[in-house]
Coordinates of all heavy atoms in Angstrom, one line a residue:
M891 N 21.5 -56.5 -26.0 CA 20.4 -55.7 -25.7 C 20.0 -54.7 -26.9 O 18.8 -54.5 -27.1 CB 20.7 -54.7 -24.5 CG 19.6 -54.0 -23.9 SD 18.3 -55.2 -23.3 CE 17.3 -54.1 -22.3
A892 N 20.9 -54.4 -27.7 CA 20.7 -53.5 -28.9 C 19.8 -54.3 -29.8 O 18.9 -53.7 -30.5 CB 22.0 -53.2 -29.5
W893 N 19.9 -55.6 -30.0 CA 19.1 -56.4 -30.9 C 17.7 -56.4 -30.4 O 16.8 -56.3 -31.2 CB 19.6 -57.9 -31.1 CG 20.8 -57.8 -32.2 CD1 22.1 -57.9 -31.9 CD2 20.6 -57.8 -33.5 NE1 22.8 -57.9 -33.1 CE2 21.9 -57.8 -34.1 CE3 19.5 -57.7 -34.3 CZ2 22.1 -57.8 -35.5 CZ3 19.7 -57.7 -35.8 CH2 20.9 -57.7 -36.2
A894 N 17.4 -56.6 -29.1 CA 16.1 -56.6 -28.5 C 15.3 -55.2 -28.8 O 14.3 -55.2 -29.2 CB 16.2 -56.8 -27.1
M895 N 16.2 -54.1 -28.6 CA 15.6 -52.9 -28.9 C 15.2 -52.6 -30.3 O 14.2 -52.1 -30.8 CB 16.6 -51.7 -28.4 CG 16.7 -51.6 -27.0 SD 17.7 -50.1 -26.7 CE 18.5 -50.6 -25.2
L896 N 16.1 -53.2 -31.2 CA 15.9 -53.1 -32.7 C 14.6 -53.9 -33.0 O 13.8 -53.4 -33.9 CB 17.1 -53.6 -33.4 CG 17.1 -53.5 -34.9 CD1 16.8 -52.0 -35.3 CD2 18.3 -54.1 -35.5
I897 N 14.5 -55.1 -32.5 CA 13.2 -55.9 -32.8 C 12.0 -55.2 -32.3 O 11.0 -55.1 -33.0 CB 13.4 -57.3 -32.3 CG1 14.6 -58.0 -33.1 CG2 12.2 -58.1 -32.3 CD1 15.0 -59.3 -32.5
I898 N 12.0 -54.7 -31.1 CA 10.8 -53.9 -30.6 C 10.6 -52.7 -31.5 O 9.4 -52.4 -31.8 CB 11.1 -53.6 -29.2 CG1 11.2 -54.9 -28.2 CG2 10.0 -52.7 -28.6 CD1 11.7 -54.6 -26.9
A899 N 11.7 -52.0 -31.9 CA 11.5 -50.9 -32.8 C 10.8 -51.3 -34.1 O 10.0 -50.6 -34.6 CB 12.9 -50.2 -33.1
G900 N 11.1 -52.4 -34.6 CA 10.5 -52.9 -35.8 C 9.0 -53.2 -35.6 O 8.2 -52.9 -36.5
F901 N 8.7 -53.8 -34.4 CA 7.3 -54.0 -34.1 C 6.6 -52.7 -34.0 O 5.3 -52.6 -34.4 CB 7.1 -55.0 -33.0 CG 7.3 -56.4 -33.3 CD1 8.5 -57.0 -33.1 CD2 6.3 -57.1 -34.1 CE1 8.7 -58.3 -33.5 CE2 6.6 -58.4 -34.4 CZ 7.7 -59.1 -34.2
A902 N 7.2 -51.8 -33.3 CA 6.6 -50.4 -33.2 C 6.4 -49.7 -34.5 O 5.3 -49.1 -34.8 CB 7.4 -49.5 -32.3
E903 N 7.2 -50.1 -35.4 CA 7.1 -49.6 -36.9 C 5.8 -50.1 -37.5 O 5.1 -49.4 -38.2 CB 8.4 -49.9 -37.6 CG 8.3 -49.3 -39.1 CD 8.4 -47.9 -39.2 OE1 8.6 -47.2 -38.1 OE2 8.2 -47.3 -40.3
I904 N 5.7 -51.4 -37.2 CA 4.3 -52.1 -37.7 C 3.2 -51.3 -37.2 O 2.2 -51.0 -37.9 CB 4.4 -53.5 -37.4 CG1 5.5 -54.2 -38.2 CG2 3.0 -54.1 -37.9 CD1 5.8 -55.7 -37.6
G905 N 3.1 -51.1 -35.9 CA 2.1 -50.4 -35.3 C 1.8 -49.0 -35.9 O 0.7 -48.5 -36.1
G906 N 3.0 -48.3 -36.1 CA 2.9 -47.0 -36.8 C 2.3 -47.0 -38.2 O 1.5 -46.2 -38.5
V907 N 2.8 -48.0 -39.0 CA 2.2 -48.1 -40.3 C 0.8 -48.4 -40.4 O -0.1 -47.9 -41.1 CB 3.1 -49.1 -41.2 CG1 2.4 -49.4 -42.5 CG2 4.5 -48.6 -41.3
I908 N 0.4 -49.4 -39.5 CA -1.0 -49.8 -39.5 C -1.9 -48.6 -38.9 O -3.0 -48.3 -39.5 CB -1.2 -51.1 -38.6 CG1 -0.4 -52.2 -39.2 CG2 -2.7 -51.4 -38.4 CD1 -0.8 -52.5 -40.7
S909 N -1.4 -47.9 -37.9 CA -2.1 -46.8 -37.4 C -2.3 -45.7 -38.5 O -3.2 -45.0 -38.6 CB -1.4 -46.1 -36.1 OG -1.4 -47.0 -35.1
L910 N -1.1 -45.5 -39.3 CA -1.2 -44.6 -40.4 C -2.4 -44.9 -41.4 O -3.0 -44.0 -41.8 CB 0.1 -44.6 -41.1 CG 0.4 -43.6 -42.2 CD1 0.2 -42.1 -41.7 CD2 1.6 -43.8 -42.9
K911 N -2.5 -46.1 -41.7 CA -3.6 -46.6 -42.6 C -4.9 -46.2 -41.9 O -5.8 -45.7 -42.6 CB -3.6 -48.0 -42.9 CG -4.7 -48.5 -43.7 CD -4.6 -50.0 -44.1 CE -5.7 -50.5 -45.0 NZ -6.0 -49.7 -46.2
L912 N -5.0 -46.5 -40.7 CA -6.3 -46.2 -40.0 C -6.7 -44.6 -39.8 O -7.8 -44.4 -39.5 CB -6.3 -46.9 -38.7 CG -6.2 -48.4 -38.7 CD1 -6.1 -49.0 -37.3 CD2 -7.4 -49.0 -39.4
T913 N -5.7 -43.8 -39.9 CA -5.9 -42.4 -39.8 C -6.9 -41.8 -40.8 O -7.4 -40.7 -40.7 CB -4.6 -41.5 -39.7 OG1 -4.1 -41.6 -41.1 CG2 -3.7 -42.0 -38.6
E914 N -6.9 -42.6 -42.0 CA -7.6 -42.0 -43.2 C -7.3 -40.6 -43.5 O -8.0 -39.7 -43.6 CB -9.1 -42.2 -42.9 CG -9.7 -43.6 -42.8 CD -11.1 -43.8 -42.6 OE1 -11.8 -42.9 -42.8 OE2 -11.5 -44.9 -42.3
G915 N -6.0 -40.5 -43.7 CA -5.4 -39.1 -44.1 C -5.4 -38.2 -42.9 O -5.5 -37.0 -43.2
F916 N -5.1 -38.6 -41.8 CA -5.1 -37.9 -40.5 C -6.4 -37.2 -40.2 O -6.4 -36.1 -39.6 CB -3.9 -36.9 -40.6 CG -2.5 -37.5 -40.7 CD1 -1.9 -37.5 -41.9 CD2 -2.1 -38.3 -39.6 CE1 -0.6 -38.1 -42.0 CE2 -0.8 -39.0 -39.8 CZ -0.1 -38.9 -40.9
T917 N -7.6 -37.8 -40.6 CA -8.8 -37.2 -40.2 C -9.4 -37.8 -39.0 O -10.4 -37.4 -38.6 CB -9.8 -37.4 -41.4 OG1 -10.0 -38.8 -41.7 CG2 -9.3 -36.7 -42.7
K918 N -8.8 -39.0 -38.5 CA -9.3 -39.6 -37.3 C -8.2 -39.5 -36.3 O -7.1 -39.8 -36.5 CB -9.6 -41.0 -37.6 CG -10.7 -41.3 -38.6 CD -11.2 -42.7 -38.5 CE -12.4 -42.8 -39.4 NZ -13.0 -44.2 -39.4
W919 N -8.6 -38.8 -35.1 CA -7.6 -38.4 -34.2 C -7.0 -39.6 -33.4 O -5.8 -39.5 -33.0 CB -8.1 -37.2 -33.3 CG -9.1 -37.7 -32.2 CD1 -10.5 -37.8 -32.4 CD2 -8.8 -38.1 -30.9 NE1 -11.1 -38.2 -31.3 CE2 -10.1 -38.5 -30.3 CE3 -7.8 -38.3 -30.2 CZ2 -10.3 -38.9 -29.0 CZ3 -7.8 -38.7 -28.8 CH2 -9.1 -39.0 -28.3
K920 N -7.8 -40.6 -33.0 CA -7.2 -41.7 -32.2 C -6.1 -42.4 -33.0 O -5.0 -42.7 -32.4 CB -8.3 -42.7 -31.7 CG -9.2 -42.0 -30.6 CD -10.2 -43.0 -30.2 CE -11.1 -42.4 -29.1 NZ -12.2 -43.3 -28.6
P921 N -6.4 -42.8 -34.2 CA -5.2 -43.5 -34.9 C -4.1 -42.5 -35.1 O -3.0 -43.0 -35.3 CB -5.9 -44.0 -36.3 CG -7.4 -44.0 -36.0 CD -7.6 -42.9 -35.0
T922 N -4.4 -41.3 -35.3 CA -3.3 -40.3 -35.6 C -2.4 -40.2 -34.4 O -1.2 -40.3 -34.5 CB -3.9 -38.9 -35.9 OG1 -4.6 -39.0 -37.1 CG2 -2.8 -37.9 -36.0
V923 N -3.0 -40.2 -33.2 CA -2.2 -40.1 -32.0 C -1.4 -41.4 -31.8 O -0.2 -41.5 -31.5 CB -3.1 -39.9 -30.7 CG1 -2.3 -40.1 -29.3 CG2 -3.7 -38.5 -30.8
A924 N -2.1 -42.6 -32.1 CA -1.4 -43.9 -32.0 C -0.2 -43.9 -33.0 O 0.8 -44.4 -32.6 CB -2.4 -44.9 -32.3
C925 N -0.4 -43.4 -34.1 CA 0.7 -43.4 -35.2 C 1.9 -42.6 -34.7 O 3.0 -43.0 -34.8 CB 0.1 -42.8 -36.4 SG 1.3 -42.7 -37.8
L926 N 1.5 -41.4 -34.1 CA 2.7 -40.6 -33.5 C 3.4 -41.2 -32.4 O 4.6 -41.2 -32.3 CB 2.2 -39.3 -33.1 CG 1.6 -38.4 -34.2 CD1 0.9 -37.1 -33.7 CD2 2.7 -37.9 -35.2
I927 N 2.6 -42.0 -31.5 CA 3.3 -42.7 -30.4 C 4.2 -43.8 -30.9 O 5.2 -44.0 -30.5 CB 2.2 -43.1 -29.4 CG1 1.6 -41.9 -28.7 CG2 2.7 -44.2 -28.5 CD1 0.4 -42.3 -27.9
F928 N 3.6 -44.7 -31.8 CA 4.3 -45.7 -32.3 C 5.6 -45.3 -33.1 O 6.6 -45.9 -32.9 CB 3.5 -46.6 -33.2 CG 2.5 -47.6 -32.5 CD1 1.2 -47.6 -32.7 CD2 3.1 -48.6 -31.7 CE1 0.4 -48.5 -32.2 CE2 2.2 -49.5 -31.1 CZ 0.9 -49.4 -31.2
A929 N 5.5 -44.2 -33.9 CA 6.6 -43.8 -34.7 C 7.7 -43.2 -33.7 O 8.9 -43.5 -33.9 CB 6.1 -42.6 -35.6
S930 N 7.2 -42.6 -32.6 CA 8.2 -42.0 -31.7 C 9.0 -43.1 -30.9 O 10.2 -43.1 -30.8 CB 7.5 -41.2 -30.7 OG 7.0 -40.1 -31.2
I931 N 8.2 -44.2 -30.6 CA 8.9 -45.4 -29.9 C 9.8 -46.0 -30.9 O 11.0 -46.3 -30.5 CB 7.8 -46.3 -29.4 CG1 7.1 -45.7 -28.2 CG2 8.5 -47.6 -29.0 CD1 5.8 -46.5 -27.8
S932 N 9.4 -46.1 -32.1 CA 10.2 -46.9 -33.1 C 11.5 -46.1 -33.3 O 12.6 -46.7 -33.3 CB 9.4 -47.1 -34.4 OG 10.1 -47.7 -35.3
F933 N 11.4 -44.8 -33.6 CA 12.6 -44.0 -33.9 C 13.5 -44.0 -32.7 O 14.8 -44.0 -32.8 CB 12.3 -42.6 -34.3 CG 12.0 -42.5 -35.8 CD1 10.7 -42.4 -36.2 CD2 13.0 -42.7 -36.8 CE1 10.3 -42.4 -37.6 CE2 12.7 -42.6 -38.1 CZ 11.4 -42.5 -38.6
Y934 N 13.0 -43.8 -31.4 CA 13.8 -43.8 -30.3 C 14.6 -45.1 -30.1 O 15.8 -45.0 -29.9 CB 13.0 -43.5 -29.0 CG 13.8 -43.6 -27.8 CD1 14.7 -42.6 -27.4 CD2 13.7 -44.8 -26.9 CE1 15.4 -42.7 -26.2 CE2 14.5 -44.9 -25.8 CZ 15.4 -43.9 -25.5 OH 16.1 -44.0 -24.3
L935 N 13.9 -46.2 -30.2 CA 14.6 -47.5 -30.1 C 15.6 -47.8 -31.2 O 16.7 -48.3 -30.9 CB 13.5 -48.7 -30.0 CG 12.7 -48.6 -28.7 CD1 11.6 -49.7 -28.7 CD2 13.5 -48.8 -27.5
L936 N 15.3 -47.4 -32.4 CA 16.2 -47.4 -33.5 C 17.4 -46.7 -33.2 O 18.6 -47.1 -33.4 CB 15.6 -47.0 -34.8 CG 16.5 -47.0 -36.1 CD1 17.0 -48.5 -36.3 CD2 15.8 -46.5 -37.2
S937 N 17.3 -45.4 -32.7 CA 18.4 -44.6 -32.4 C 19.3 -45.1 -31.4 O 20.5 -44.9 -31.4 CB 17.9 -43.1 -32.1 OG 17.3 -43.1 -30.8
T938 N 18.6 -45.8 -30.4 CA 19.4 -46.4 -29.3 C 20.2 -47.6 -29.9 O 21.3 -47.8 -29.5 CB 18.5 -46.9 -28.2 OG1 17.7 -45.7 -27.7 CG2 19.2 -47.5 -27.0
A939 N 19.5 -48.4 -30.7 CA 20.2 -49.6 -31.3 C 21.4 -49.3 -32.1 O 22.4 -50.0 -32.1 CB 19.2 -50.4 -32.0
V940 N 21.3 -48.2 -32.9 CA 22.4 -47.8 -33.8 C 23.7 -47.3 -33.1 O 24.7 -47.1 -33.7 CB 22.0 -46.9 -35.0 CG1 21.0 -47.4 -35.8 CG2 21.6 -45.5 -34.4
Q941 N 23.6 -47.1 -31.8 CA 24.7 -46.7 -31.0 C 25.7 -47.8 -30.8 O 26.9 -47.7 -30.6 CB 24.3 -46.2 -29.6 CG 23.6 -44.9 -29.7 CD 23.1 -44.4 -28.3 OE1 23.3 -45.0 -27.3 NE2 22.3 -43.2 -28.4
T942 N 25.1 -49.1 -30.9 CA 25.9 -50.3 -30.8 C 26.1 -51.1 -32.1 O 27.1 -51.6 -32.4 CB 25.2 -51.3 -29.8 OG1 25.1 -50.6 -28.6 CG2 26.0 -52.5 -29.5
L943 N 25.0 -51.2 -32.9 CA 24.9 -51.9 -34.1 C 25.4 -51.1 -35.3 O 25.1 -49.9 -35.2 CB 23.5 -52.5 -34.4 CG 23.0 -53.4 -33.3 CD1 21.5 -53.7 -33.6 CD2 23.8 -54.7 -33.2
P944 N 25.9 -51.8 -36.3 CA 26.1 -50.9 -37.5 C 24.9 -50.4 -38.1 O 23.8 -51.0 -38.2 CB 26.7 -52.0 -38.5 CG 27.2 -53.2 -37.6 CD 26.3 -53.1 -36.4
V945 N 25.0 -49.1 -38.5 CA 23.7 -48.4 -38.9 C 23.0 -49.1 -40.1 O 21.8 -49.2 -40.1 CB 24.0 -46.9 -39.2 CG1 24.9 -46.7 -40.4 CG2 22.7 -46.1 -39.3
G946 N 23.8 -49.5 -41.1 CA 23.2 -50.3 -42.2 C 22.4 -51.4 -41.9 O 21.4 -51.7 -42.4
T947 N 23.0 -52.3 -41.0 CA 22.5 -53.5 -40.6 C 21.2 -53.2 -39.8 O 20.1 -53.8 -40.0 CB 23.4 -54.3 -39.7 OG1 24.6 -54.6 -40.4 CG2 22.8 -55.6 -39.1
A948 N 21.3 -52.2 -38.9 CA 20.1 -51.9 -38.0 C 19.0 -51.3 -38.9 O 17.8 -51.7 -38.7 CB 20.5 -50.9 -37.0
Y949 N 19.3 -50.4 -39.9 CA 18.2 -49.9 -40.6 C 17.6 -51.0 -41.6 O 16.4 -51.0 -41.7 CB 18.8 -48.8 -41.5 CG 17.8 -48.1 -42.3 CD1 16.9 -47.3 -41.7 CD2 17.6 -48.3 -43.7 CE1 15.8 -46.6 -42.4 CE2 16.6 -47.7 -44.4 CZ 15.8 -46.8 -43.8 OH 14.8 -46.2 -44.5
A950 N 18.4 -51.8 -42.0 CA 17.8 -52.9 -42.9 C 16.9 -53.9 -42.1 O 15.8 -54.2 -42.7 CB 19.0 -53.8 -43.6
V951 N 17.3 -54.2 -40.9 CA 16.5 -55.0 -40.0 C 15.2 -54.3 -39.6 O 14.1 -54.9 -39.8 CB 17.3 -55.6 -38.8 CG1 16.4 -56.2 -37.8 CG2 18.4 -56.4 -39.3
W952 N 15.3 -53.1 -39.3 CA 14.2 -52.2 -38.9 C 13.2 -52.2 -40.0 O 12.0 -52.4 -39.8 CB 14.7 -50.9 -38.4 CG 13.6 -49.9 -38.0 CD1 12.9 -50.0 -36.9 CD2 13.3 -48.7 -38.6 NE1 12.1 -48.9 -36.8 CE2 12.3 -48.0 -37.9 CE3 13.7 -48.1 -39.9 CZ2 11.8 -46.8 -38.3 CZ3 13.2 -46.9 -40.2 CH2 12.3 -46.3 -39.4
T953 N 13.7 -51.8 -41.2 CA 12.7 -51.7 -42.3 C 12.2 -53.0 -42.8 O 11.0 -53.1 -43.2 CB 13.4 -50.9 -43.5 OG1 14.6 -51.6 -43.9 CG2 13.7 -49.5 -43.2
G954 N 13.0 -54.1 -42.7 CA 12.5 -55.3 -43.0 C 11.4 -55.8 -42.1 O 10.4 -56.4 -42.6
I955 N 11.6 -55.7 -40.8 CA 10.6 -56.1 -39.9 C 9.3 -55.2 -40.1 O 8.2 -55.8 -40.2 CB 10.9 -55.9 -38.4 CG1 12.1 -56.8 -38.1 CG2 9.8 -56.0 -37.4 CD1 12.7 -56.6 -36.8
G956 N 9.4 -53.9 -40.3 CA 8.3 -53.1 -40.6 C 7.6 -53.5 -41.9 O 6.4 -53.5 -41.9
S957 N 8.4 -53.8 -42.9 CA 7.8 -54.1 -44.2 C 7.1 -55.5 -44.2 O 5.9 -55.5 -44.5 CB 8.8 -54.1 -45.3 OG 9.4 -52.9 -45.5
A958 N 7.8 -56.4 -43.7 CA 7.2 -57.8 -43.7 C 6.0 -57.8 -42.7 O 5.0 -58.5 -43.1 CB 8.3 -58.8 -43.3
G959 N 6.2 -57.2 -41.6 CA 5.1 -57.2 -40.6 C 3.8 -56.5 -41.1 O 2.7 -57.0 -41.0
S960 N 4.0 -55.3 -41.9 CA 2.9 -54.6 -42.4 C 2.1 -55.3 -43.4 O 1.0 -55.4 -43.6 CB 3.4 -53.2 -42.9 OG 4.0 -52.5 -41.9
V961 N 2.9 -56.1 -44.3 CA 2.3 -56.9 -45.3 C 1.5 -58.0 -44.7 O 0.4 -58.3 -45.1 CB 3.3 -57.4 -46.2 CG1 2.8 -58.6 -47.2 CG2 4.0 -56.4 -47.1
L962 N 2.1 -58.7 -43.7 CA 1.4 -59.8 -43.0 C 0.1 -59.3 -42.3 O -0.9 -60.0 -42.4 CB 2.2 -60.5 -42.1 CG 3.5 -61.3 -42.7 CD1 4.4 -61.8 -41.6 CD2 2.9 -62.3 -43.6
V963 N 0.1 -58.2 -41.7 CA -1.0 -57.6 -41.0 C -2.1 -57.2 -42.0 O -3.2 -57.4 -41.9 CB -0.7 -56.4 -40.1 CG1 -1.8 -55.6 -39.6 CG2 0.2 -56.9 -38.9
G964 N -1.6 -56.7 -43.1 CA -2.5 -56.3 -44.2 C -3.3 -57.6 -44.7 O -4.4 -57.5 -45.1
M965 N -2.5 -58.6 -44.9 CA -3.1 -59.8 -45.4 C -4.1 -60.4 -44.4 O -5.2 -60.9 -44.7 CB -2.0 -60.9 -45.6 CG -1.2 -60.7 -46.8 SD 0.0 -62.1 -46.9 CE 1.0 -61.5 -48.1
L966 N -3.8 -60.3 -43.1 CA -4.7 -60.9 -42.1 C -5.9 -60.1 -41.7 O -7.0 -60.6 -41.4 CB -3.9 -61.1 -40.7 CG -2.7 -62.2 -40.8 CD1 -1.9 -62.2 -39.5 CD2 -3.4 -63.6 -41.0
F967 N -5.7 -58.7 -41.7 CA -6.8 -57.9 -41.3 C -7.4 -56.9 -42.2 O -8.5 -56.4 -42.0 CB -6.3 -57.0 -40.1 CG -5.9 -57.8 -38.8 CD1 -4.6 -58.0 -38.6 CD2 -6.8 -58.5 -38.0 CE1 -4.1 -58.8 -37.5 CE2 -6.5 -59.2 -37.0 CZ -5.1 -59.4 -36.7
F968 N -6.7 -56.7 -43.4 CA -7.2 -55.8 -44.4 C -7.5 -56.4 -45.7 O -7.8 -55.7 -46.7 CB -6.3 -54.6 -44.6 CG -6.1 -53.8 -43.3 CD1 -4.9 -53.8 -42.6 CD2 -7.1 -53.0 -42.8 CE1 -4.7 -53.1 -41.4 CE2 -6.9 -52.3 -41.6 CZ -5.7 -52.3 -40.9
K969 N -7.6 -57.7 -45.7 CA -7.9 -58.5 -46.9 C -7.1 -58.1 -48.1 O -7.5 -58.1 -49.2 CB -9.5 -58.3 -47.2 CG -10.4 -58.8 -46.1 CD -11.8 -58.6 -46.4 CE -12.6 -59.0 -45.3 NZ -14.1 -58.7 -45.5
E970 N -5.8 -57.9 -47.8 CA -4.9 -57.7 -48.9 C -4.5 -59.0 -49.6 O -4.7 -60.1 -49.0 CB -3.7 -56.9 -48.5 CG -4.1 -55.5 -47.9 CD -2.8 -54.7 -47.5 OE1 -1.7 -55.3 -47.5 OE2 -3.0 -53.6 -46.9
S971 N -4.0 -59.0 -50.8 CA -3.6 -60.1 -51.6 C -2.7 -61.1 -50.8 O -1.8 -60.7 -50.2 CB -2.9 -59.7 -52.9 OG -2.4 -60.8 -53.6
R972 N -3.0 -62.4 -51.0 CA -2.2 -63.4 -50.4 C -1.6 -64.2 -51.6 O -1.3 -65.4 -51.4 CB -3.0 -64.3 -49.5 CG -3.5 -63.7 -48.3 CD -4.3 -64.6 -47.4 NE -4.9 -63.8 -46.3 CZ -5.6 -64.3 -45.3 NH1 -5.8 -65.6 -45.3 NH2 -6.0 -63.6 -44.3
D973 N -1.2 -63.6 -52.6 CA -0.6 -64.2 -53.8 C 0.7 -64.9 -53.4 O 1.5 -64.4 -52.5 CB -0.3 -63.2 -54.8 CG 0.3 -63.7 -56.0 OD1 -0.4 -64.3 -56.8 OD2 1.5 -63.5 -56.2
R974 N 0.9 -66.1 -53.9 CA 2.1 -66.8 -53.6 C 3.4 -66.1 -53.8 O 4.4 -66.2 -53.0 CB 2.2 -68.2 -54.5 CG 1.2 -69.2 -54.0 CD 1.4 -70.4 -54.8 NE 0.5 -71.4 -54.5 CZ 0.1 -72.4 -55.3 NH1 0.6 -72.6 -56.5 NH2 -0.7 -73.3 -54.8
K975 N 3.6 -65.3 -54.9 CA 4.7 -64.6 -55.2 C 4.9 -63.5 -54.1 O 6.1 -63.3 -53.6 CB 4.6 -63.9 -56.5 CG 4.6 -64.8 -57.7 CD 4.4 -64.1 -59.0 CE 4.3 -65.0 -60.2 NZ 4.0 -64.4 -61.4
R976 N 3.8 -62.9 -53.6 CA 4.0 -61.9 -52.5 C 4.5 -62.6 -51.3 O 5.4 -62.0 -50.6 CB 2.6 -61.3 -52.3 CG 2.7 -60.0 -51.5 CD 1.3 -59.4 -51.5 NE 1.4 -58.1 -50.9 CZ 0.4 -57.5 -50.2 NH1 -0.7 -58.1 -50.1 NH2 0.6 -56.4 -49.7
I977 N 4.0 -63.7 -50.9 CA 4.5 -64.5 -49.8 C 5.9 -64.9 -49.9 O 6.7 -64.8 -49.0 CB 3.5 -65.6 -49.5 CG1 2.1 -65.1 -49.1 CG2 4.2 -66.6 -48.4 CD1 1.0 -66.2 -49.0
L978 N 6.3 -65.4 -51.1 CA 7.6 -65.7 -51.4 C 8.6 -64.6 -51.2 O 9.6 -64.8 -50.5 CB 7.8 -66.2 -52.8 CG 9.2 -66.5 -53.4 CD1 9.8 -67.7 -52.6 CD2 9.2 -66.6 -54.9
F979 N 8.3 -63.4 -51.6 CA 9.2 -62.3 -51.5 C 9.2 -61.8 -50.1 O 10.3 -61.3 -49.5 CB 8.9 -61.2 -52.5 CG 9.2 -61.6 -53.9 CD1 8.3 -61.6 -54.9 CD2 10.5 -61.9 -54.3 CE1 8.6 -62.0 -56.2 CE2 10.9 -62.2 -55.5 CZ 9.9 -62.3 -56.5
I980 N 8.1 -61.8 -49.3 CA 8.1 -61.5 -47.9 C 9.0 -62.5 -47.2 O 9.8 -62.1 -46.2 CB 6.8 -61.4 -47.4 CG1 5.9 -60.2 -48.0 CG2 6.7 -61.2 -45.8 CD1 6.5 -58.8 -47.8
T981 N 8.9 -63.7 -47.5 CA 9.7 -64.6 -46.8 C 11.2 -64.4 -47.1 O 12.1 -64.6 -46.3 CB 9.4 -66.1 -47.4 OG1 8.0 -66.3 -47.2 CG2 10.3 -67.2 -46.7
G982 N 11.5 -63.9 -48.3 CA 12.9 -63.5 -48.6 C 13.4 -62.4 -47.7 O 14.6 -62.4 -47.3
I983 N 12.5 -61.4 -47.3 CA 12.8 -60.4 -46.4 C 13.1 -60.9 -45.1 O 14.2 -60.6 -44.4 CB 11.7 -59.3 -46.4 CG1 11.7 -58.5 -47.7 CG2 12.0 -58.4 -45.3 CD1 10.5 -57.6 -47.8
V984 N 12.3 -61.9 -44.7 CA 12.5 -62.5 -43.3 C 13.8 -63.2 -43.2 O 14.5 -63.1 -42.3 CB 11.3 -63.3 -42.9 CG1 11.5 -64.0 -41.6 CG2 10.0 -62.5 -42.8
I985 N 14.1 -64.0 -44.2 CA 15.3 -64.8 -44.3 C 16.6 -63.8 -44.3 O 17.6 -64.0 -43.6 CB 15.3 -65.7 -45.5 CG1 14.4 -66.8 -45.4 CG2 16.8 -66.2 -45.7 CD1 14.1 -67.6 -46.6
S986 N 16.4 -62.7 -45.0 CA 17.6 -61.7 -45.0 C 17.8 -61.0 -43.6 O 18.8 -60.8 -43.2 CB 17.2 -60.6 -46.0 OG 17.2 -61.1 -47.3
I987 N 16.6 -60.8 -42.9 CA 16.8 -60.3 -41.6 C 17.5 -61.2 -40.7 O 18.4 -60.8 -39.9 CB 15.3 -59.9 -41.0 CG1 14.7 -58.8 -41.7 CG2 15.5 -59.6 -39.5 CD1 13.3 -58.5 -41.4
V988 N 17.1 -62.5 -40.7 CA 17.8 -63.5 -39.9 C 19.2 -63.7 -40.3 O 20.1 -63.7 -39.4 CB 17.0 -64.9 -40.0 CG1 17.8 -66.0 -39.3 CG2 15.6 -64.8 -39.4
G989 N 19.6 -63.6 -41.6 CA 20.9 -63.6 -42.0 C 21.8 -62.5 -41.5 O 22.9 -62.7 -41.1
L990 N 21.2 -61.3 -41.5 CA 21.9 -60.1 -41.0 C 22.2 -60.3 -39.5 O 23.2 -59.9 -39.0 CB 21.2 -58.8 -41.2 CG 21.1 -58.3 -42.7 CD1 20.2 -57.2 -42.9 CD2 22.6 -57.9 -43.0
K991 N 21.2 -60.9 -38.7 CA 21.5 -61.1 -37.3 C 22.6 -62.0 -37.1 O 23.5 -61.8 -36.2 CB 20.2 -61.6 -36.7 CG 20.3 -62.3 -35.3 CD 20.7 -61.3 -34.3 CE 20.7 -61.8 -32.9 NZ 22.0 -61.9 -32.2
F992 N 22.9 -63.0 -38.0 CA 23.9 -64.0 -37.8 C 25.3 -63.4 -38.1 O 26.3 -63.8 -37.6 CB 23.7 -65.3 -38.5 CG 22.7 -66.2 -37.8 CD1 21.4 -66.5 -38.5 CD2 22.9 -66.6 -36.5 CE1 20.5 -67.2 -37.8 CE2 22.0 -67.4 -35.8 CZ 20.8 -67.7 -36.5
I993 N 25.3 -62.4 -39.0 CA 26.6 -61.9 -39.5 C 27.0 -60.7 -38.8 O 28.2 -60.2 -38.9 CB 26.7 -61.8 -41.0 CG1 25.8 -60.7 -41.5 CG2 26.5 -63.1 -41.7 CD1 26.0 -60.2 -43.0
A994 N 26.1 -60.0 -38.2 CA 26.4 -58.7 -37.5 C 27.0 -58.9 -36.1 O 26.8 -59.7 -35.5 CB 25.1 -57.8 -37.5

């Protein structure tokens, strides 16, 4: 169950980061509220997951999901670079997340 919470926390982190971009420096209230909600959910679920999982593993997976997901969303919706090297290194993050799942 801790792994499920951690994965959901990672996806909430993606929502928080994307909402943060949409706030335009916290000048738009709807994305600002969404950012706060996503961040709260993300931190709550992370804090619950670390009660069972090793903190280093949980944090690495959480940040990895947030980082890789944010880059992918940026590529898909914000016309960010789709350079091969960028995709290669994001793939490395995803492989590392899967590896941590298998050894933790």
Side-chain angles (χ1 to χ4, degrees):
M891 192 61 168
W893 278 101
M895 286 187 212
L896 183 58
I897 291 168
I898 295 168
F901 281 101
E903 182 69 7
I904 296 167
V907 170
I908 298 307
S909 298
L910 182 63
K911 177 174 178 58
L912 298 174
T913 67
E914 295 182 13
F916 297 107
T917 60
K918 295 191 174 186
W919 73 272
K920 286 182 182 180
T922 298
V923 170
C925 180
L926 293 172
I927 291 169
F928 279 120
S930 296
I931 291 168
S932 182
F933 277 105
Y934 172 74
L935 292 174
L936 175 63
S937 72
T938 303
V940 298
Q941 292 176 3
T942 305
L943 300 172
V945 69
T947 299
Y949 185 72
V951 170
W952 178 71
T953 58
I955 292 170
S957 299
S960 297
V961 169
L962 293 173
V963 170
M965 288 180 188
L966 293 172
F967 297 105
F968 298 111
K969 299 179 183 175
E970 294 179 4
S971 170
R972 294 180 184 188
D973 181 74
R974 284 184 182 159
K975 291 176 188 173
R976 193 170 192 210
I977 293 169
L978 173 69
F979 289 120
I980 292 301
T981 303
I983 291 172
V984 173
I985 291 169
S986 297
I987 292 168
V988 172
L990 284 171
K991 166 65 173 118
F992 284 116
I993 65 167

